[in-house]
Amino acid sequence: MSDEEHHFESKADAGASKTYPQQAGTIRKNGYIVIKNRPCKVVEVSTSKTGKHGHAKCHFVGIDIFTAKKLEDIVPSSHNCDVPHVNRTDYQLIDISEDGFVSLLTDSGDTKDDLKLPTDESLLKQIKDGFAEGKDLVVSVMSAMGEEQICALKDIGPK
Amino acid sequence: MQGFSDGGADLGQLQTTMRNIEVACTSIQMHINPAAAEATILSLSQSPQPYMACRFILENSQVPNARFQAAAAIRDAAIREWSSLSTEERRSLISFCLCFVMQHASSPEGYVLAKVSSVAAQLMKRGWLDFTEAEKETFFYQVNQAILGAHGIDVQFIGVNFLESLVSEFSPSTSSAMGLPREFHEQCRTSLELNYLKMFYCWARDAALSVTNKIIEPNAVIPEVKVCTAALRLMLQILNWEFRNDTTSMKAGIDVFSAGVRHDNGSSKRSECVLVQPGPAWFDVLISSGHVSWLLGLYAALRQKFSREEPYFLLWIDPPDVVSKAIEEGKSESEMLDGCRALLSIATATTPFVFDQLLKAIRPCGTLSLLSTLMCEVVKVLMTNNTDEETWSWEARDILLDTWTILLVPTDGSGGDALLPPEGKHAAANLFSMIVESELKVASASVTNDDGDSDYLQASISAMDERLSSYALIARAAIDVTIPLLTRLFSERFARLHQGRGIIDPTETLEELYSLLLITGHVLADEGEGETPLVPTAIKTHFADIAEAEKHPVVVLSGSIIRFAEQSMDPEVRATVFSPRLMEAVIWFLARWSHTYLMPLEETNCLSNDYQQHHSVNSKKALLSFFGEHNQGQVVLDIIVRISVMTLVSYPGEKDLQGLTCHHLLHTLVRRKTICYQLVSLESWRNLANAFTNEKSLFLLSSANQRSLAQTLVLSASGLRNSETANQYVKGLMAHMTTYLVELSNRSDLKSVAHQPDIIMSVSCLLERLRGAASAAGPRRQRAMYEIGISVMNPVLHLLEVYKDESAVVYLLLKFIVDWVDGQISYLESRETAAVIDFCMRLLQLYSSHNIGKISISLSSTLLSEAKTEKYKDLRALLQLLSSLCSKDLVDFSSDSVEAAGINISQVVFFGLHIVTPLISLELLKYPKLCHDYFSLLSHILEVYPETLAQLNSEAFVHIIGTLDFGLHHQDLEVVDMCLGALKALAAYNYREICAGKTGLVSAGLGNLPEGIFSRFLRSLLQLLLFEDYSPDLVSAAADALLPLILCEQGLYQKLGNELIERQTNPALKSRLANALHSLTSSNHLSSRLDRVNYQRFRKNLNSFLNWQNKRNGWFRFLWSFLNFSMHLEALLLVV
């Protein structure tokens, strides 16, 4: 998929901005940051100086929250970085279709059918097995910068 | 198998044995059937009483290896049979070995002799505590005669060699195993150290002396060299002995030599020098007998004899400039370094005064001057070739700095600095100025090699700290010269900055100032390490002639630095001069300086001693009061506060600098009440508080700084005179946070806005501040913090709901509550306690409902492990919360008791545990800190409220028992200890209940449990004690847990015991095991009550049982079949 397309989408989406500027010095470990136009979770921050008597700069190591790729960036700590707006929504799992799509129940009672199951084998198995056992499963869907993905799974027990 | 027992040995038999052994030895060497040969040799050493055969072999065999093996066999057999040998036999074995080596001293097979003499040494040690003094005397007389050279060079060598073996046997690190307890080795070592070691040393020295003259003769290699080497080796070995009993047991020694000898060996060493520590009793032998000069002479002579070089190393370090030049030109530096080490060693044994006098006899100036010149030379070399490589000059500098530190560190504990003679002072001053010059040069040179990453101030300070504090000691030794020197250096650089502003690149000067600030900070003030540091004695006692405070050199120096720092307030100057790095050094200096000099505690004490109209007191008073509250103190404080605010606002994103300001400088200020009084009345402090609540820029501080700043501001309220104003002040500070959080949580669109990054940032920031404030709650400010906490309770729950997937925010929320409850709980009245407890339970339930059964899904293993770590941190916080709640039962300052309001803390905590434990998986217990917290909470709860465990449902109960079982087998001693404590409490409670005719834990609502948790624990504890490796430290705790378990499950215990006995096949051992097991439960009048006396008796019983068992370990171990046995029992239990 092309990042450019999403970018245009986000510009058109008035009101709910996809990213916010934030001073690099205030971004900490476990927070989020946009590196190379990808939403990342920060797993490491370190500071250093530019030259002996220069100003501080921050070195970020982030993991793309969707693709799990590792990305790095260096920003002067008084400058601004983009921070993605990461949202999570819980849906009840209604069905898993043959082609790997899931059917989810939204708060308003509609169904949401455009999400694919994770591709990773073990995760897939966890969901499928749980569903097959007839457990009541709630999935958390994480969305940021126009992408979304299942990020967590919770057994809410028998009704 | 064929034995070699002596029983009725005749010559023929002995010869057969000898032949057998010889054949075996030869075939081993030739690799013919080595297994059989080894078995033959082994059978010799394993046969009972093989001594005759061995002697025969030693004396008659022509095969050296056979003789070697015979000696080894004597050793093995004698050590094994020692207790059954008669005194006569023991003595004769040793004297046989000694005579053997003496007689065969010239034998070419050195290894046989060495073996025999080591056998003699080992046997001597084995019998050391049994032999009378007279018996030992006899042996040593023989040895001494040998060493004196009465029987020729070879025997002399053998004698020294024997002593070497003996000393190494007696030193615990090199001793051989004898199957005896450690006490034995310790006793031997002490006895040797006190009674013989010095004598051996003298013998060795005399032996060496006796041959020295011959060695120095420029002949070819002669046999005397062998003796001399051995003797020197023995001397070295003795000096390396780990002396223990130096001061206390040698009173007489101290009295005689206390004038010149120091008794501290505690100071840390940079250079890896082995220091000799024989203690004062050795003074006469080592120092005064003049054999050092003999040794030096020998060294020189030998160098001359064997390498024929120039004689400049007659004194390897003198004259220093020539030496250092020679080394730079390629000569070996090892003599020079040895010389430095010698100085260090001398310094450890003397006071500065004695040290200085040492060379007076042969040189015009003292040792201190030599040391100073020498080090100056080293520093000069360091300056000229400044590389990162560790060269000889580095090493020499470190050794020499250590020497100075040893000499100058105050020893008497009074904090008084060591006084140097005038010449020594002069030397110290010279050296210090050389050091500063070199450090400045290094600093300005470092500008070009730009490895910015490693240059964080804290790191560089701690790396340099030791060096800097040594520099400070040297500077303080000549304080009247060095302070003006520093002042001059500073003013030169200030001037240079001003003249060159905008024209010349200031970086070099900035770096020099950075170094100067660090050095000056160390010279002027001590670190304090949590205490309030006093003005260094050297500074207090010197400058006696200065009566006007303004002219006091320390005031002048401090003043000039503070004025310089103040210039950073000017934006233009700041931009060109005050780089973040320089500013870090300035802030660091101000923090260190103000801790000692700003409104000092001593000021009041000093003023009250007005009647002492002495000069030095006057100058001291002038210095102390100059920056006091009634003088310049307030002005300086105002400057410092304004500079702090400026660094927080005008250096955006400089976390390190801001961290220093918050954690170091501001924290130092509010630590002292006198300063707090002044702070709260300062305009600049009010500005800081205002900026804190209103200004956007302070919201940009990093989280830790945010927290620390809030804490500092709240702490400063202790400067307000009464608690009402203090509470008002705190409320004023915090109002903006509570308002924001309440408003946010009431927003109808909370769910949609909450995840916007800007909102998350504000919330995190405010929570950090709240947390900082909560951790600063003291009795005076407790009210305000309580109200703040109560007002955000509902918002906290709302936010926890909304941010349930935002782990960073969740953690902050939990940490705030933990800190807040911890600070509040002991002050709360019962009604308030009820509210807080109710809130905590809701929080726990909410957290648990979000997280139970939740599985994070991510492709990234890093993110998954991060998620696990976050969960661990959350749980740890929750456990801390429960522990704080628990403490209400122990520490309670409220007017009414909690029970009055119907609150049962134990139930609350158990309920909490009930919520939390399902989240704590065995997987998570692998985090050591969590594990520790969990088990300390668990054991505390079980010890204090065992009855509530019965009220848990069976699932939770089983979970807790499962974790206990996990903990019992943990590697961490402390965890096992806590589990044993918990087990003891549980079993004891159960036993008491049963005795009182109640049902106890087993059936109380736990019907569907697998039968008998106590029988399970009894079995696993016995298994642990009998068959597994465990630390002896655990025995007492295990005994305490075992006794009530046995009492609870007497039937099972009997059965287990019988099984153990039945398994034993040897009838003799069977009955002994039965006896041991019997006396475990019956000796010492053990009764079936659970009181202190009874516990103590059982501890004793278990200890003796285990000791007995350990002795029998050899045959007992085979009871590993216990594994079978316990499986068998498992089956048995299932049937029942």
Short mmCIF file of all heavy atoms in Angstrom, two decimals, chain B residues 686-711:
data_model
loop_
_atom_site.label_atom_id
_atom_site.label_comp_id
_atom_site.label_asym_id
_atom_site.label_seq_id
_atom_site.Cartn_x
_atom_site.Cartn_y
_atom_site.Cartn_z
N ARG B 686 8.68 32.99 44.50
CA ARG B 686 7.26 33.11 44.13
C ARG B 686 7.10 33.08 42.62
O ARG B 686 6.17 32.47 42.09
CB ARG B 686 6.66 34.39 44.71
CG ARG B 686 6.21 34.22 46.16
CD ARG B 686 5.27 35.35 46.57
NE ARG B 686 5.96 36.63 46.65
CZ ARG B 686 6.65 37.03 47.71
NH1 ARG B 686 6.73 36.25 48.78
NH2 ARG B 686 7.25 38.20 47.73
N ASN B 687 8.04 33.71 41.93
CA ASN B 687 7.99 33.67 40.47
C ASN B 687 8.11 32.24 39.95
O ASN B 687 7.41 31.87 39.01
CB ASN B 687 9.12 34.51 39.86
CG ASN B 687 8.87 35.98 40.06
OD1 ASN B 687 7.73 36.38 40.34
ND2 ASN B 687 9.92 36.78 39.96
N LEU B 688 8.99 31.48 40.59
CA LEU B 688 9.15 30.09 40.17
C LEU B 688 7.83 29.34 40.36
O LEU B 688 7.36 28.62 39.47
CB LEU B 688 10.26 29.42 40.97
CG LEU B 688 10.45 27.92 40.72
CD1 LEU B 688 10.83 27.64 39.29
CD2 LEU B 688 11.49 27.33 41.66
N ALA B 689 7.20 29.54 41.54
CA ALA B 689 5.92 28.87 41.81
C ALA B 689 4.87 29.29 40.79
O ALA B 689 4.09 28.46 40.30
CB ALA B 689 5.46 29.18 43.23
N ASN B 690 4.87 30.58 40.46
CA ASN B 690 3.91 31.06 39.45
C ASN B 690 4.14 30.42 38.10
O ASN B 690 3.19 29.96 37.46
CB ASN B 690 4.03 32.58 39.29
CG ASN B 690 3.10 33.29 40.24
OD1 ASN B 690 2.07 32.72 40.61
ND2 ASN B 690 3.47 34.50 40.65
N ALA B 691 5.40 30.42 37.71
CA ALA B 691 5.74 29.82 36.42
C ALA B 691 5.32 28.36 36.40
O ALA B 691 4.84 27.84 35.40
CB ALA B 691 7.23 29.95 36.16
N PHE B 692 5.50 27.71 37.53
CA PHE B 692 5.17 26.29 37.65
C PHE B 692 3.68 26.06 37.35
O PHE B 692 3.32 25.13 36.64
CB PHE B 692 5.52 25.82 39.06
CG PHE B 692 5.13 24.41 39.36
CD1 PHE B 692 5.81 23.35 38.77
CD2 PHE B 692 4.11 24.12 40.26
CE1 PHE B 692 5.46 22.03 39.06
CE2 PHE B 692 3.77 22.81 40.55
CZ PHE B 692 4.44 21.78 39.95
N THR B 693 2.84 26.92 37.90
CA THR B 693 1.42 26.69 37.68
C THR B 693 0.95 27.23 36.34
O THR B 693 0.01 26.69 35.76
CB THR B 693 0.57 27.34 38.80
OG1 THR B 693 0.99 28.69 38.94
CG2 THR B 693 0.74 26.62 40.09
N ASN B 694 1.56 28.28 35.83
CA ASN B 694 0.99 28.92 34.66
C ASN B 694 1.77 28.77 33.36
O ASN B 694 1.18 28.75 32.29
CB ASN B 694 0.83 30.42 34.92
CG ASN B 694 -0.04 30.66 36.13
OD1 ASN B 694 -1.05 29.96 36.28
ND2 ASN B 694 0.34 31.58 36.98
N GLU B 695 3.10 28.68 33.48
CA GLU B 695 3.84 28.85 32.24
C GLU B 695 3.96 27.57 31.44
O GLU B 695 4.26 26.51 31.97
CB GLU B 695 5.23 29.42 32.53
CG GLU B 695 5.35 30.82 31.96
CD GLU B 695 6.73 31.34 32.10
OE1 GLU B 695 7.57 30.93 31.29
OE2 GLU B 695 6.96 32.17 33.01
N LYS B 696 3.73 27.72 30.16
CA LYS B 696 3.76 26.56 29.26
C LYS B 696 5.14 25.91 29.26
O LYS B 696 5.26 24.69 29.22
CB LYS B 696 3.40 27.06 27.85
CG LYS B 696 3.13 25.98 26.84
CD LYS B 696 1.63 25.80 26.65
CE LYS B 696 1.26 24.81 25.59
NZ LYS B 696 1.72 23.48 25.72
N SER B 697 6.19 26.75 29.33
CA SER B 697 7.53 26.20 29.14
C SER B 697 7.88 25.18 30.23
O SER B 697 8.63 24.24 29.98
CB SER B 697 8.57 27.32 29.12
OG SER B 697 8.45 28.09 30.29
N LEU B 698 7.32 25.35 31.42
CA LEU B 698 7.65 24.40 32.48
C LEU B 698 6.91 23.09 32.31
O LEU B 698 7.24 22.10 32.95
CB LEU B 698 7.38 25.00 33.85
CG LEU B 698 8.40 26.05 34.29
CD1 LEU B 698 8.17 26.44 35.73
CD2 LEU B 698 9.82 25.56 34.12
N PHE B 699 5.87 23.10 31.45
CA PHE B 699 5.21 21.83 31.15
C PHE B 699 6.05 20.97 30.22
O PHE B 699 5.75 19.81 29.99
CB PHE B 699 3.84 22.07 30.50
CG PHE B 699 2.77 22.39 31.50
CD1 PHE B 699 2.57 23.69 31.92
CD2 PHE B 699 1.98 21.39 32.04
CE1 PHE B 699 1.61 23.98 32.85
CE2 PHE B 699 1.02 21.68 32.97
CZ PHE B 699 0.83 22.99 33.39
N LEU B 700 7.10 21.59 29.68
CA LEU B 700 7.93 20.86 28.72
C LEU B 700 9.10 20.13 29.40
O LEU B 700 9.86 19.45 28.73
CB LEU B 700 8.47 21.82 27.66
CG LEU B 700 7.40 22.45 26.78
CD1 LEU B 700 8.02 23.43 25.81
CD2 LEU B 700 6.62 21.39 26.03
N LEU B 701 9.21 20.30 30.71
CA LEU B 701 10.30 19.58 31.39
C LEU B 701 10.06 18.07 31.29
O LEU B 701 8.92 17.62 31.18
CB LEU B 701 10.33 19.97 32.87
CG LEU B 701 10.66 21.42 33.18
CD1 LEU B 701 10.64 21.64 34.69
CD2 LEU B 701 12.04 21.75 32.65
N SER B 702 11.12 17.33 31.37
CA SER B 702 10.95 15.87 31.28
C SER B 702 10.28 15.36 32.56
O SER B 702 10.24 16.06 33.58
CB SER B 702 12.30 15.20 31.11
OG SER B 702 12.96 15.18 32.34
N SER B 703 9.75 14.15 32.49
CA SER B 703 8.88 13.69 33.57
C SER B 703 9.57 13.68 34.93
O SER B 703 9.01 14.14 35.92
CB SER B 703 8.34 12.31 33.24
OG SER B 703 9.39 11.48 32.85
N ALA B 704 10.79 13.16 34.97
CA ALA B 704 11.46 13.08 36.27
C ALA B 704 11.70 14.48 36.82
O ALA B 704 11.54 14.73 38.02
CB ALA B 704 12.77 12.34 36.13
N ASN B 705 12.06 15.42 35.95
CA ASN B 705 12.29 16.79 36.40
C ASN B 705 10.99 17.44 36.87
O ASN B 705 10.98 18.19 37.85
CB ASN B 705 12.90 17.63 35.28
CG ASN B 705 14.26 17.11 34.89
OD1 ASN B 705 14.86 16.36 35.65
ND2 ASN B 705 14.73 17.50 33.72
N GLN B 706 9.92 17.15 36.15
CA GLN B 706 8.61 17.65 36.52
C GLN B 706 8.27 17.24 37.96
O GLN B 706 7.86 18.05 38.78
CB GLN B 706 7.61 16.97 35.57
CG GLN B 706 6.31 17.64 35.39
CD GLN B 706 6.42 18.84 34.48
OE1 GLN B 706 6.33 19.94 34.99
NE2 GLN B 706 6.63 18.62 33.20
N ARG B 707 8.49 15.96 38.21
CA ARG B 707 8.15 15.40 39.52
C ARG B 707 9.01 16.04 40.59
O ARG B 707 8.53 16.45 41.63
CB ARG B 707 8.44 13.90 39.44
CG ARG B 707 7.81 13.08 40.49
CD ARG B 707 7.75 11.65 40.03
NE ARG B 707 9.06 11.05 39.92
CZ ARG B 707 9.44 10.27 38.91
NH1 ARG B 707 8.60 10.02 37.93
NH2 ARG B 707 10.63 9.76 38.87
N SER B 708 10.30 16.13 40.29
CA SER B 708 11.22 16.67 41.27
C SER B 708 10.92 18.14 41.58
O SER B 708 10.99 18.57 42.73
CB SER B 708 12.64 16.51 40.75
OG SER B 708 13.51 17.40 41.38
N LEU B 709 10.53 18.89 40.55
CA LEU B 709 10.22 20.30 40.77
C LEU B 709 9.00 20.44 41.67
O LEU B 709 8.99 21.25 42.61
CB LEU B 709 9.98 20.98 39.42
CG LEU B 709 9.82 22.49 39.46
CD1 LEU B 709 11.04 23.15 40.07
CD2 LEU B 709 9.58 23.06 38.06
N ALA B 710 7.97 19.63 41.41
CA ALA B 710 6.78 19.68 42.26
C ALA B 710 7.14 19.34 43.69
O ALA B 710 6.72 20.03 44.64
CB ALA B 710 5.73 18.70 41.74
N GLN B 711 7.96 18.34 43.85
CA GLN B 711 8.36 17.93 45.19
C GLN B 711 9.10 19.06 45.89
O GLN B 711 8.82 19.38 47.05
CB GLN B 711 9.26 16.70 45.05
CG GLN B 711 9.54 16.00 46.35
CD GLN B 711 10.54 14.89 46.16
OE1 GLN B 711 11.28 14.85 45.17
NE2 GLN B 711 10.58 13.98 47.10
#
